[in-house]
Amino acid sequence: MDKIVIKGGKRLEGSIPIAGAKNAALPLMCAGILTDEVLTLENLPLLADIDTMQNLLVQHGVELTMRHAGGNGRRTRTFALSTPDLASSLAPYDLVRKMRASVLVLGPLVARFGVARVSLPGGCAIGARPIDLHLKGLEALGAEIELDKGYVQASAPNGLRGGDVVFPFVSVGATENLLMAAVLARGETRLINAAREPEVVDLANCLNAMGAHIEGAGTDVITIKGVEGLHGAVHPVIADRIETGTYAMAAAATRGSVELQGAELDALPSVIDHLMRAGVEVEATDGGVKVSADRIVGVDVMTEPFPGFPTDLQAQMMALLATAEGASMVTETIFENRFMHVPELTRLGANINLHGRSAMVRGTQDLTGAAVMATDLRASVSLVVAALAAQGQTEVNRVYHLDRGYERLEEKLAACGADIERISG
Ligand code: UD1
């Protein structure tokens, strides 16, 4: 298994190109199921999760061609997807277990073909993460749902019909699944208490470009007027706000200065606010966003649905705050088990105490390298952030977690002066 070795204590300085957003790309790829015409998705990141989704879609019958593009230090992929026929309605356990976002095929499969058999995702490192909201929403649109031997069997032989779906709490994935189901349903659907994340807006924009009638994406009520069919479109994936935030925090942790090319400030309102209160300077530039820091002070952070502080940046922010002057309280409200990075950060000398859903972080200037290992994507990268700030050598094991969500991580950081290398094993 590969590992990443970092010799910390070097200021990051330079610029980092931000990739297309993984969490926007995955649902957008599933939208390819909704049409027999060609949906061209540009600016896809080069990530293991995108490959997993590609494998899943191809076995459903999606025809997919890929083109690589590059220039200005960037490399991206373009996919052309179309789905003339259904080859299989089955999303097998092996793929769904590997990547929970696989459940996003459910809505489009039922909407277009009237049938789907999708494995339940099961538990994962950051909590139980059920899909009950996805299933209740599909039932509200007329699908029949049965649970059988670990699989969801969904059917709507006569098509879906519009209706009101009221989410008891905000779910990004359920909003996306229902959005893709409702575009082909007969009549009007309202998604009430919908997620407002930029990735949901990106999906709605793409679906509208394919001929859907969606209004209100980005607010908590989305209205969809169903249409008979969707056509092809060309859609560029938005910049990855989580990658942006991660590198901003890495730069700040090393008291460095980095321009994040292609990053968008609007996608990270709460993160920018917290970073600035912690002492980070943030300015918009022609090509993106520049962050610089000389001194970091503690701030309290609580994760919330958008536009609040994203749970996907909680671990990285904690790593930054571990280097701050003073104390910070970090509270996780989205996932019940998302502090797996705490014991590992502690191995690097961080002073963190857990109290239920909150972590008290007392900053120190004395992080030191160690061998660490993490259990999920964002936890792993938080260890990279801390390692960049720590004196001495850190080995981050289980790098496959990082490869799910960060393309060319060591290359991007090394270009800004980090002493970082991947050791294959
Ligand atoms: C998406 C993101 C993930 C991010 C999360 C929250 C993708 C591919 N993944 O995940 O990176 O951390 O949003 O911003 O976009 N829940 C239920 N029942 C459901 C659905 C969700 O109880 O049917 C719970 C979850 O366990 C969790 C909370 O709702 O506690 C929010 O989850 P959700 O927004 O659905 O996350 P995902 O869409 O899975």
Side-chain angles (χ1 to χ4, degrees):
M1 255 188 269
D2 290 5
K3 60 183 172 193
I4 283 190
V5 176
I6 297 170
K7 295 196 184 82
K10 300 214 163 47
R11 232 178 134 247
L12 291 183
E13 187 135 25
S15 64
I16 295 181
I18 298 301
K22 169 178 87 78
N23 286 353
L26 294 172
L28 287 167
M29 289 172 71
C30 296
I33 295 174
L34 291 166
T35 177
D36 59 358
E37 294 189 16
V38 176
L39 170 63
T40 302
L41 297 175
E42 299 171 341
N43 197 33
L44 287 160
L46 291 93
L47 297 172
D49 273 11
I50 301 293
D51 300 338
T52 305
M53 183 59 87
Q54 179 183 349
N55 294 338
L56 177 63
L57 293 180
V58 166
Q59 64 90 44
H60 284 310
V62 178
E63 291 178 359
L64 194 152
T65 55
M66 190 200 320
R67 190 160 45 81
H68 285 273
N72 290 335
R74 304 200 61 204
R75 262 179 265 156
T76 72
R77 275 193 291 199
T78 296
F79 277 169
L81 310 107
S82 63
T83 313
D85 287 307
L86 182 67
S88 163
S89 62
L90 180 78
Y93 179 57
D94 270 0
L95 286 171
V96 181
R97 182 176 49 99
K98 224 165 148 187
M99 187 184 67
R100 191 188 141 78
S102 308
V103 300
L104 293 173
V105 297
L106 191 54
L109 284 176
V110 183
R112 170 106 186 272
F113 297 108
V115 59
R117 187 170 169 79
V118 175
S119 170
L120 286 165
C124 72
I126 58 174
R129 297 182 85 176
I131 57 164
D132 51 323
L133 303 189
H134 302 236
L135 302 185
K136 284 198 189 104
L138 284 173
E139 278 178 334
L141 300 191
E144 278 183 25
I145 306 279
E146 276 175 45
L147 297 183
D148 169 40
K149 301 189 186 78
Y151 279 78
V152 176
Q153 178 76 40
S155 60
N158 301 316
L160 296 170
R161 50 168 164 68
D164 276 1
V165 177
V166 185
F167 296 112
F169 51 88
V170 173
S171 162
V172 177
T175 302
E176 292 167 342
N177 233 338
L178 270 297
L179 199 51
M180 290 189 279
V183 287
L184 294 183
R186 284 188 308 280
E188 186 172 295
T189 298
R190 284 192 311 159
L191 304 181
I192 297 162
N193 199 22
R196 294 185 281 164
E197 268 67 3
E199 293 79 12
V200 172
V201 178
D202 200 33
L203 176 63
N205 288 343
C206 176
L207 292 169
N208 279 340
M210 295 167 76
H213 289 167
I214 302 169
E215 280 178 15
T219 73
D220 57 5
V221 180
I222 305 180
T223 308
I224 305 119
K225 291 198 177 75
V227 293
E228 289 275 313
L230 296 184
H231 51 71
V234 178
H235 182 82
V237 179
I238 54 171
D240 196 318
R241 64 194 171 100
I242 306 302
E243 191 193 27
T244 303
T246 300
Y247 288 127
M249 289 161 194
T254 66
R255 310 298 186 260
S257 174
V258 169
E259 184 180 12
L260 304 161
Q261 295 161 3
E264 291 188 21
L265 281 178
D266 292 352
L268 287 164
S270 173
V271 173
I272 302 293
D273 175 55
H274 280 81
L275 285 176
M276 288 172 70
R277 283 196 280 125
V280 181
E281 271 180 45
V282 183
E283 54 175 314
T285 60
D286 287 346
V289 174
K290 187 169 177 189
V291 290
S292 322
D294 296 326
R295 194 178 156 217
I296 296 293
V297 293
V299 286
D300 292 347
V301 177
M302 186 189 286
T303 62
E304 286 172 327
F306 191 84
F309 194 97
T311 174
D312 285 352
L313 284 169
Q314 178 256 109
Q316 302 87 314
M317 189 69 180
M318 193 184 291
L320 169 63
L321 294 173
T323 71
E325 291 168 38
S328 311
M329 179 78 92
V330 177
T331 304
E332 172 60 51
T333 72
I334 309 288
F335 292 111
E336 75 268 29
N337 192 17
R338 208 171 199 182
F339 282 137
M340 313 288 273
H341 44 286
V342 169
E344 300 299 303
L345 288 172
T346 306
R347 286 175 54 75
L348 296 175
N351 182 347
I352 305 173
N353 284 306
L354 278 180
H355 305 274
R357 291 195 153 203
S358 293
M360 172 61 80
V361 185
R362 293 187 176 83
T364 166
Q365 314 302 307
D366 297 324
L367 295 186
T368 45
V372 289
M373 135 163 13
T375 40
D376 75 66
L377 167 58
R378 310 302 173 184
S380 309
V381 86
S382 78
L383 301 176
V384 172
V385 172
L388 290 166
Q391 293 300 325
Q393 177 167 313
T394 298
E395 266 180 31
V396 183
N397 293 290
R398 297 202 182 161
V399 168
Y400 59 87
H401 287 301
L402 289 170
D403 293 335
R404 289 188 51 198
Y406 292 90
E407 63 166 48
R408 301 186 292 121
L409 172 100
E410 60 278 18
E411 216 181 288
K412 290 184 182 187
L413 288 170
C416 292
D419 187 338
I420 176 168
E421 78 177 311
R422 176 185 292 247
I423 298 184
S424 305

